Amino acid sequence: MNLFSIYREHLLAAAQALWPEAVVDAITLEPPRDEAHGDMATNAAMVLAGQVKQNPRQIAEALLPSIKALPGVTQANIAGPGFINLTLAPEIWRGVLPVILNSGEAFGDSRLGGGEKVNVEYVSANPTGPMHVGHARGAVVGDALANLLAKAGYDVTREYYINDAGAQVEKVACSAYLRYREACGEAIGEIPEGLYPGEYMKRAGAAIRVVHGEKLIDAPEAEWLPLCREIALAEMMKMIKEDLADLAIHHEVFTSEAALLSAGKIEAAIEILRGYDLIYRGVLEPPKGKKPEDWEPREQLLLRSTTYGDDTDRAVLKSDGSYAYIAGDLALAADKLARGFNHQILVLGADHGGYVKR
């Protein structure tokens, strides 16, 4: 039961009765900015003015008798250039209370979205350690937005993108392996520069020891690295999910960057973009400001992001032949489209403002 929808329908009927040819879809009925002006306000006169070739105030005066005659309306008056404010009897508002109590959390549900699919991706913190306050901000904003869309009748999927490929993941594995040796009783001393020194890595080290005992201590790196990576990433994601659960936030889908890569979805996304002439081989300009000593012009695979306002095109492939960070994002966007998500919302961290255009 939405009183604004109910009285808007009455208002539209009154307008159509006076001006049968008018298009009334743009007429709104909303709470006024100043509650002293009443319970509801409508822009009907301004919407109709151009169509019926009359002054908005004249239109408002013509509508006023019909509005005053509506059941439950105790007062209606014209304000400013032609806004109409109306006040309802207290018993009209009290009549909504039983509906609220009987509906519970379903009160206010809308069919506005019509079941259309929407993907909301938020948090997506790198699995290199605990969430920080910036991640928590994105978690709350993203989840609130997803809940509002679901309330409005959209088919919402809450997604988390796991950046589990690249050099940072190797550092996680090496850090966890060091803590594993510590869990096996070895004195590891100071954590080497470049690894993750946080105490939270002890959790990953202990988990590796539970699974593999002490047999990895003397194993070659080629053997222990993938095993430690798998367990360490699982422990980091478990820790992140525990923090999210404390916020009552749960994602339906967790998408792995490594899985996208192994499935060939980055290459597929690049081919899609190539078809729109948005992928090409070229040479980037040197960085603005002081040129790095090791910079040299080289041909790379580039995304033509300047087409959409970016300040420079972006490399999709790094100089070592590995994919740049943005490549996984391109694959994920294409993958979401393939899953039927024509509406994709991405909640970016405060430090990713420059990422919007690309």
Side-chain angles (χ1 to χ4, degrees):
M1 182 180 183
N2 185 327
L3 290 179
F4 286 88
S5 295
I6 292 171
Y7 278 87
R8 179 176 179 270
E9 290 302 317
H10 288 314
L11 176 63
L12 298 186
Q16 295 274 226
L18 289 169
W19 300 282
E21 302 303 318
V23 177
V24 297
D25 294 349
I27 292 176
T28 62
L29 187 65
E30 301 172 327
R33 293 181 180 177
D34 186 345
E35 61 182 24
H37 293 164
D39 297 324
M40 300 176 175
T42 179
N43 64 348
M46 274 70 75
V47 170
L48 295 168
Q51 299 184 59
V52 302
K53 310 299 182 189
Q54 291 184 30
N55 182 287
R57 201 163 178 92
Q58 290 178 308
I59 294 172
E61 288 170 355
L63 278 170
L64 208 57
S66 299
I67 293 173
K68 286 182 175 179
L70 294 176
V73 173
T74 59
Q75 187 177 340
N77 53 66
I78 303 168
F83 286 103
I84 302 174
N85 298 322
L86 54 146
T87 302
L88 302 183
E91 58 265 25
I92 299 297
W93 293 108
R94 288 197 293 268
V96 182
L97 291 175
V99 179
I100 295 173
L101 294 173
N102 290 330
S103 301
E105 290 187 0
F107 180 76
D109 283 1
S110 166
R111 293 188 294 273
L112 176 70
E116 194 162 356
K117 294 178 69 173
V118 178
N119 183 289
V120 185
E121 182 199 326
Y122 53 106
V123 187
S124 297
N126 292 342
T128 56
M131 287 172 52
H132 55 58
V133 69
H135 298 139
R137 165 198 171 273
V140 172
V141 170
D143 208 57
L145 179 58
N147 290 342
L148 285 168
L149 288 165
K151 190 76 172 172
Y154 290 90
D155 179 6
V156 180
T157 294
R158 299 160 177 83
E159 187 153 348
Y160 186 119
Y161 177 48
I162 308 171
N163 294 114
D164 55 357
Q168 66 175 5
V169 176
E170 302 303 302
K171 289 182 182 179
V172 170
C174 292
S175 303
Y177 179 68
L178 203 59
R179 292 298 190 176
Y180 157 74
R181 297 180 72 96
E182 183 180 43
C184 292
E186 184 178 321
I188 61 172
E190 190 174 343
I191 305 296
E193 188 176 350
L195 298 186
Y196 295 101
E199 292 284 306
Y200 57 85
M201 275 296 168
K202 289 184 177 181
R203 171 174 174 162
I208 295 168
R209 186 170 188 267
V210 168
V211 176
H212 296 289
E214 298 185 5
K215 68 181 183 180
L216 298 183
I217 291 178
D218 297 318
E221 181 177 308
E223 181 180 333
W224 62 253
L225 187 64
L227 299 174
C228 291
R229 180 172 55 222
E230 180 182 358
I231 294 174
L233 288 177
E235 285 299 315
M236 294 301 102
M237 285 307 303
K238 184 179 178 183
M239 181 168 53
I240 290 170
K241 289 178 182 179
E242 287 169 356
D243 286 342
L244 289 172
D246 286 341
L247 290 168
I249 291 173
H250 304 276
H251 293 77
E252 289 95 6
V253 176
F254 289 82
T255 299
S256 157
E257 180 184 9
L260 291 175
L261 181 60
S262 63
K265 294 195 175 183
I266 292 180
E267 292 89 341
I270 288 172
E271 287 308 307
I272 292 171
L273 291 168
R274 202 189 299 276
Y276 290 95
D277 194 30
L278 292 172
I279 292 288
Y280 69 101
R281 297 201 68 84
V283 178
L284 289 176
E285 294 291 323
K288 294 178 181 177
K290 186 177 179 181
K291 186 190 297 184
E293 292 180 3
D294 61 348
W295 186 88
E296 59 181 41
R298 60 183 178 275
E299 190 177 69
Q300 291 176 281
L301 195 66
L302 302 175
L303 171 69
R304 205 184 300 278
S305 56
T306 49
T307 301
Y308 298 95
D310 203 356
D311 54 0
T312 182
D313 288 343
R314 301 290 167 173
V316 178
L317 275 176
K318 298 179 184 177
S319 56
D320 62 2
S322 64
Y323 285 111
Y325 186 84
I326 197 171
D329 292 326
L330 299 176
L332 181 60
D335 184 61
K336 289 176 184 176
L337 282 170
R339 286 185 269 144
F341 293 111
N342 291 326
H343 298 291
Q344 300 179 25
I345 298 172
L346 177 59
V347 181
L348 292 169
D351 59 341
H352 280 61
Y355 209 71
V356 174
K357 289 176 181 176
R358 77 192 73 158

